[in-house]
Amino acid sequence: AVVSTQSTGGLETSASYGYKDMSKAFRSCMTDKSLNVKCKAVQGLRTLSLFYNVAYTSDLDSNIAMCLKVLEGANYDCRIAIAQLIGTLLSKALQFKPPE
C-alpha cells in the first residue's frame, strides 16, 4: 500500500518534537550522578538515533562529546553501551543522504 505524504505531514512534525524532547531528556540523564541512569540514557539515545536523524547530523559533535564525558568513571557494561552508541551515530552519519 502506498501512503500519501500529505496525510502524514502533521505526524512527522509531532514526531519530530517528541524525538527532540526525548533527546533532551536522554542527554540530561547522561549527566546524572548515577551510573545506571547514565547507561540507560546512552541505550535510549542509541535507540532514538535509529529514528531521529538530528542525533547523527547537526547534533553529532555534541553527542560524541557527551559520550566521551560519560566514559569517565564508567564501568565495563556502560563503556560497551557508549561504544555501541558512538558506532551507531558514526555509521548513520556516514550512510546519511541529505534530501535533494
Side-chain angles (χ1 to χ4, degrees), residues 25-38:
F26 287 137
R27 290 176 49 116
S28 173
C29 290
M30 287 173 72
T31 61
D32 196 85
K33 290 183 180 181
S34 171
L35 187 59
N36 289 332
V37 173
K38 288 180 184 180

Side-chain angles (χ1 to χ4, degrees), residues 10-24 52:
L11 292 175
E12 290 173 2
T13 304
S14 298
S16 178
Y17 287 123
Y19 290 153
K20 184 177 181 179
D21 290 343
M22 285 188 285
S23 178
K24 284 182 185 179
Y52 185 52

Side-chain angles (χ1 to χ4, degrees), residues 78-98:
C78 196
R79 288 178 184 266
I80 295 291
I82 294 166
Q84 290 173 338
L85 173 58
I86 291 173
T88 300
L89 291 174
L90 294 177
S91 171
K92 289 287 195 177
L94 291 174
Q95 295 172 3
F96 180 69
K97 294 180 183 172

